Amino acid sequence: MTAVDAYSVAGKLAAPEAKVDAMVVGAGPAGTAAASELAKAGLSVMLVDENPLDAGMFGLDVPLFFGGRAGTSVQNKNRMVEQIVMSEPGIETAMDAGAEVALGTSCWGVFLPGPAARELPGPMAGLSDGTRVWTVGFDRLILATGARDLVFFFDGADQPGVMGAAAFHSLATRYDAFDGQRLVIFGSGDLALGTAELALAQGLEVAALIEVDAAPRGDAARIAALAEQGVAIHCGHAITSAMRGPAGVTGVEIAPIGGGAARTIACDTVCLAIGRVPVVELFDAAGVPLAADGERGGFVPVSADGVSTASPLVFGAGDCMMAADRLTDRAEAEAHGRYAARAVLASLGRADAPDSTAAHPRGGDQLAYRRRVMEALLATGGQEALACQCEEVSRADLFGVLPPRYLGSPSETSRCRDLATLAADGPLDHDQMKRLTRVSMGACQGRRCREQVALLMAVGGGVPVEAIPLAGYRAPVRPLPLAVLASMEETGPMTALWSIWFAIPSQWIPYDLIGTEGEHTFIDDHTHL
């Protein structure tokens, strides 16, 4: 029998506060439909959703690129709860079916037993309501975490008023808290058209659509209808900058990609509607294999049927399995959620395997277009625009693989390196770029820059976009204050031998003993041989 290290946490972790047959993360149309289906089948079900968000998350652009356009009403928690329930009828349906619903609760980690986690008492999810953290065990998990904004920067994109289309839809419909009046929309595909149509329906102004391609990408009839309502469409153009004002954006400058005179358009909001990205943080943190798939919007779980993953315990539903460059129809999302629920029931021996024809539909390859957008922004806006807002890493810093500015001037050796020479030495890696430049290392956890950094790496290194590996995610996948994380219960056996870090006495010495005789006594008393 192999001896267990006395300092190991194996067998010492507290049991989860609760356990359910199935947990569903995400209370959108797909998640609520899945939870209702599972509860009706007699399973104990917990449905978790981080909405309504804490007001501070809007400022961090988590989980969507809100861009400072959330109104003050988001600070009224009771109002926000009412808005969430009113805007998503599936929540009440899931509750009526018997599911336990936890709103305003983020899932910050998923932990599956395995070679690197043998100490776990079983599969569990880490949850937080902003005041404490706890764990809940499950037999099966459905992640219906949706899609987030695909972000592109240009000069001035770091000020209030530059936001994503998914964030706009959330503020305008779910929260009724959009704080803007006149929009310029970047893109002309279905996502951009849907954004423009929603804005006009809510009495807002849409000044223009900006498209890098030579012709609009969306439905011709919808584009003509927008033009009849006074919406200008500028094809073959890119946004070079957003003009700054005391309250944020006051307008945008656009320029022809092939050269020519720039023009300005007055607006208070620039809405990025090039595409959306599957939210896969929890899949990755749990160790579920992912793969780049341009037809499904980016990195998504490897799946044979559109809902299952390489883990028999974890399933996906809705836009996290395929984030298209359009908004998913509610009926389509609900059908996919029910399909995922039936796959879960089949895995538990409670139903036959579902008909795979209900799998989420795929779209066209989106990666080539996204690269064209990035190349157009480089051609018109140069390399001084930011690649990473949190760490203030510019495109030039990234192309030159330059260390953070606070470390001083780069060495001559560093100046001789760039993405092209790095690519010649071996495959480019986003996690490596984090260490070299601190790109994607900020409080937004890469949500504002992850995809554009990968695109810049592909352009600078002369490699396909899909050749850039996904930068890894680790729990907590949502920003949590240390005081909240510290609320996690530690059992007596966990703390018995951990009065000092990793049993290394010199790693934790009381401040008032440093430099005194007591320091040596403390080390002697706390050294375990």
Side-chain angles (χ1 to χ4, degrees):
M1 180 177 179
T2 304
V4 177
D5 187 339
Y7 294 101
S8 168
V9 295
K12 302 176 184 178
L13 291 176
E17 287 193 10
K19 176 151 184 317
V20 294
D21 296 326
M23 176 178 287
V24 180
V25 178
T32 55
S36 297
E37 190 88 355
L38 293 170
K40 290 175 183 177
L43 271 62
S44 60
V45 179
M46 184 175 189
L47 174 62
V48 175
D49 196 287
E50 63 189 334
N51 293 287
L53 297 169
D54 180 82
M57 292 296 100
F58 289 94
L60 291 176
D61 290 327
V62 176
L64 305 175
F65 188 34
F66 294 105
R69 278 295 171 259
T72 56
S73 61
V74 300
Q75 299 179 33
N76 186 333
K77 191 68 174 283
N78 291 333
R79 176 190 179 277
M80 296 205 345
V81 171
E82 292 177 359
Q83 286 292 139
I84 294 300
V85 176
M86 289 172 57
S87 65
E88 182 45 69
I91 293 175
E92 185 174 355
T93 302
M95 293 175 66
D96 291 343
E100 175 187 357
V101 178
L103 299 179
T105 302
S106 64
C107 181
W108 51 266
V110 171
F111 307 94
L112 306 178
R118 294 172 180 164
E119 70 278 4
L120 293 179
M124 63 177 70
L127 305 179
S128 175
D129 61 4
T131 63
R132 70 183 188 102
V133 296
W134 69 97
T135 59
V136 174
F138 58 81
D139 289 331
R140 296 293 186 273
L141 174 69
I142 294 180
L143 296 178
T145 45
R148 59 179 173 81
D149 296 298
L150 173 65
V151 178
F152 287 92
F153 283 162
F154 35 79
D155 180 47
D158 56 338
Q159 64 179 315
V162 180
M163 68 181 307
F168 171 74
H169 282 262
S170 180
L171 290 178
T173 58
R174 173 182 286 170
Y175 288 120
D176 187 23
F178 174 67
D179 186 19
Q181 289 296 324
R182 181 176 168 87
L183 293 79
V184 166
I185 297 173
F186 193 20
S188 67
D190 287 342
L191 178 60
L193 299 184
T195 301
E197 291 161 351
L198 173 61
L200 292 170
Q202 295 213 342
L204 304 171
E205 296 181 70
V206 179
L209 303 183
I210 312 301
E211 173 56 55
V212 301
D213 280 354
R217 294 174 54 82
D219 178 72
R222 295 171 69 188
I223 291 170
L226 290 175
E228 289 179 0
Q229 297 179 74
V231 179
I233 301 175
H234 301 285
C235 294
H237 283 70
I239 298 175
T240 57
S241 65
M243 293 175 282
R244 298 180 184 274
V249 171
T250 62
V252 292
E253 180 184 86
I254 65 173
I257 295 171
R263 71 179 73 186
T264 60
I265 304 172
C267 65
D268 58 33
T269 302
V270 183
C271 192
L272 308 177
I274 300 298
R276 297 182 302 150
V277 181
V279 175
V280 295
E281 293 99 318
L282 289 171
F283 290 106
D284 194 40
V288 173
L290 307 174
D293 188 335
E295 293 184 2
R296 296 166 68 193
F299 281 88
V300 288
V302 176
S303 179
D305 58 4
V307 294
S308 63
T309 72
S311 168
L313 308 181
V314 181
F315 297 77
D319 287 332
C320 64
M321 300 300 285
M322 193 207 83
D325 58 352
R326 63 180 178 86
L327 295 172
T328 305
D329 177 79
R330 168 174 286 275
E332 180 181 84
E334 290 175 339
H336 197 242
R338 289 190 291 270
Y339 171 47
R342 290 192 289 272
V344 166
L345 293 171
S347 75
L348 294 169
R350 304 281 291 267
D352 295 331
D355 181 2
S356 61
T357 57
H360 213 41
R362 300 166 68 92
D365 186 7
Q366 301 168 53
L367 297 184
Y369 174 59
R370 294 177 182 183
R371 183 166 186 151
R372 290 202 303 276
V373 172
M374 178 55 71
E375 290 172 341
L377 290 172
L378 284 167
T380 56
Q383 296 188 18
E384 294 310 310
L386 289 175
C388 172
Q389 177 177 335
C390 295
E391 296 295 324
E392 298 184 345
V393 179
S394 70
R395 296 171 183 166
D397 294 334
L398 184 65
F399 281 138
V401 195
L402 298 179
R405 293 182 179 86
Y406 56 74
L407 294 180
S409 299
S411 66
E412 288 303 315
T413 301
S414 295
R415 293 182 186 277
C416 294
R417 301 287 283 170
D418 57 21
L419 280 174
T421 60
L422 205 62
D425 292 340
L428 293 175
D429 186 277
H430 197 151
D431 282 325
Q432 181 188 32
M433 295 307 296
K434 286 184 179 182
R435 300 181 182 97
L436 293 174
T437 69
R438 285 200 60 81
V439 72
S440 305
M441 291 286 283
C444 80
Q445 297 176 316
R447 291 176 183 85
R448 288 188 287 226
C449 69
R450 184 177 289 258
E451 284 69 40
Q452 64 179 317
V453 166
L455 287 164
L456 287 166
M457 290 173 63
V459 172
V463 299
V465 178
E466 55 269 29
I468 306 298
L470 180 72
Y473 290 100
R474 293 180 295 178
V477 301
R478 288 291 184 268
L480 290 176
L482 290 177
V484 174
L485 280 173
S487 67
M488 179 74 78
E489 178 188 358
E490 292 186 345
T491 64
M494 288 177 65
T495 61
L497 298 176
W498 280 59
S499 60
I500 47 182
W501 287 101
F502 299 99
I504 304 173
S506 59
Q507 293 296 303
W508 187 76
I509 300 170
Y511 182 79
D512 56 355
L513 294 183
I514 296 175
T516 71
E517 286 298 323
E519 176 179 347
H520 304 291
T521 302
F522 178 86
I523 293 175
D524 291 340
D525 290 345
H526 290 79
T527 299
H528 301 276
L529 300 178

